[in-house]
Amino acid sequence: MITTVTLNAAIDKTYYLPSFPLGRVSRVHRMYAEPGGKGINVARVISLLGYPVTATGFLGGHNGDWIRTTLDRQGIAHDFAAIEGESRLCLNMIDESNGVSTEVLEPGPVVSEQAMEKLAATVERLAARSQIVCFSGSLPGGVPVSYYAELIGIVKKAGAIAFLDTSGEALRSGVKGNPYFIKPNEDEIVQLLGAKFDADSSAAKQSLQEQLAKLHEQGIPAVSVSLGAQGSLCSFEGSVYRAVAPRIDAVNTVGCGDAYVAGMAIGTARELPALERIAYATAVGTANALTDKAGYVKSGDVQRLLGEVAVERLN
Ligand code: TA6
């Protein structure tokens, strides 16, 4: 089983608009509401691909109740810690005249120390029967940046593998827990390593490989650096790969990173070789862009795209 942890869960509202001019009144002509937040998106994709998964984290208020009820309806097992505040809304406006997607993300509620202690106990219990525990997304109010490293320590002590997909100070502090896998983007890897790189130049590629080796020496065996449309650069215990996704007509790219994490978690749980894990994660992440909601893939798309993904070993 895989467990996902969403500390800052959300109701994701996706609005499709004929156009989205600032300062004007725009009327939505197609809209979706889904349980969201990165970890819940990861859990839904894992569930859609047929692997056992349980979602946990914090849920509060009427929004939290709606998320629980909807996860039940979607057949996704969950075990969330209740909090006083109201789980947030995250909005994604898609301007259909130009395909531009604009996200507006609320900060989330304030979480108490008691709720954090309760969730730590839940994570320990679930980690004991999980192969992998994925921590994804931002931190809500009241949660110290050290909390991810604390939870990662609990997961590793329980004998499970920890994934961490977050950004900013939460990532810089979370890596102190030495998770097995992280998925920073180009800006985040620069913040982590303090080194700029141009993924294309061969010299920079060499220096990036050396830089990624430092993360392995620190105790983080697997790193995927998202290069956006250029694909990703992955280093698994020093073996470095470049993955390029096939070109597609994207419908909605929000949630592609979450779907990538879901694919990587399934590949890791199935103990696939590194190259196959990377190819599968890339196909799952790309398949997410073919659906109109974040955190949704069709297994048929994944299988077709898997044959079109290019992964090469660089060293
Ligand atoms: O990655 C997409 C997404 O999960 C959206 O669905 C929205 O929930 C947002 O990210 C939340 O991001 P955050 O970093 O605040 O957890």
Side-chain angles (χ1 to χ4, degrees), residues 56 119-120 175 177 198 232:
T56 188
L119 180 64
V175 295
D198 162 13
S232 64

Side-chain angles (χ1 to χ4, degrees), residues 99-269:
V100 171
S101 166
T102 304
E103 287 189 85
V104 177
L105 310 181
E106 293 180 3
V110 177
V111 176
S112 69
E113 284 204 18
Q114 292 78 359
M116 281 187 270
E117 287 165 12
K118 182 173 185 328
L119 180 64
T122 301
V123 166
E124 184 176 26
R125 174 165 42 81
L126 291 173
R129 57 191 183 90
S130 299
Q131 296 159 285
I132 297 169
V133 178
C134 297
F135 297 98
S136 298
S138 62
L139 298 177
V143 177
V145 290
S146 58
Y147 192 55
Y148 268 139
E150 177 191 336
L151 294 177
I152 290 166
I154 290 171
V155 166
K156 292 167 70 172
K157 194 173 173 194
I161 285 173
F163 279 25
L164 178 64
D165 177 23
T166 188
S167 57
E169 196 46 51
L171 176 63
R172 281 191 292 280
S173 183
V175 295
K176 292 173 186 167
N178 286 336
Y180 172 84
F181 174 74
I182 58 174
K183 186 187 66 65
N185 61 30
E186 284 182 272
D187 296 336
E188 290 155 358
I189 196 75
V190 168
Q191 289 170 30
L192 270 186
L193 297 173
K196 186 93 182 108
F197 73 93
D198 162 13
D200 274 333
S201 71
S202 55
K205 208 180 293 179
Q206 181 59 32
S207 79
L208 178 71
Q209 291 173 20
E210 288 159 9
Q211 297 282 356
L212 291 175
K214 287 181 190 167
L215 287 174
H216 300 327
E217 286 154 22
Q218 172 186 322
I220 302 174
V223 184
S224 284
V225 181
S226 169
L227 304 175
Q230 291 178 301
S232 64
L233 207 62
C234 311
S235 183
F236 279 63
E237 291 169 299
S239 301
V240 182
Y241 304 82
R242 176 86 182 243
V244 180
R247 299 195 64 76
I248 58 163
D249 291 327
V251 173
N252 180 359
T253 59
V254 173
C256 286
D258 308 336
Y260 181 96
V261 169
M264 185 60 73
I266 292 173
T268 303

Side-chain angles (χ1 to χ4, degrees), residues 16-159:
Y16 285 85
L17 305 122
S19 64
F20 185 51
L22 289 181
R24 304 281 297 277
V25 174
S26 298
R27 294 190 183 278
V28 175
H29 80 233
R30 184 158 54 101
M31 65 176 272
Y32 301 99
E34 283 291 337
K38 293 185 175 355
I40 288 175
N41 288 344
V42 174
R44 188 165 49 242
V45 170
I46 291 171
S47 175
L48 287 168
L49 294 176
Y51 205 85
V53 64
T54 297
T56 188
F58 296 122
L59 287 180
H62 298 295
N63 289 347
D65 293 342
W66 184 88
I67 289 170
R68 278 192 192 85
T69 305
T70 309
L71 288 175
D72 286 339
R73 200 163 57 238
Q74 294 176 348
I76 297 171
H78 58 85
D79 183 354
F80 283 85
I83 53 173
E84 290 300 313
E86 188 76 30
S87 292
R88 61 180 174 156
L89 295 184
C90 287
L91 310 183
N92 175 20
M93 273 68 80
I94 296 178
D95 181 333
E96 290 187 298
S97 69
N98 55 25
V100 171
S101 166
T102 304
E103 287 189 85
V104 177
L105 310 181
E106 293 180 3
V110 177
V111 176
S112 69
E113 284 204 18
Q114 292 78 359
M116 281 187 270
E117 287 165 12
K118 182 173 185 328
L119 180 64
T122 301
V123 166
E124 184 176 26
R125 174 165 42 81
L126 291 173
R129 57 191 183 90
S130 299
Q131 296 159 285
I132 297 169
V133 178
C134 297
F135 297 98
S136 298
S138 62
L139 298 177
V143 177
V145 290
S146 58
Y147 192 55
Y148 268 139
E150 177 191 336
L151 294 177
I152 290 166
I154 290 171
V155 166
K156 292 167 70 172
K157 194 173 173 194

Side-chain angles (χ1 to χ4, degrees), residues 264-275:
M264 185 60 73
I266 292 173
T268 303
R270 288 181 172 149
E271 298 182 352
L272 296 181
L275 188 144

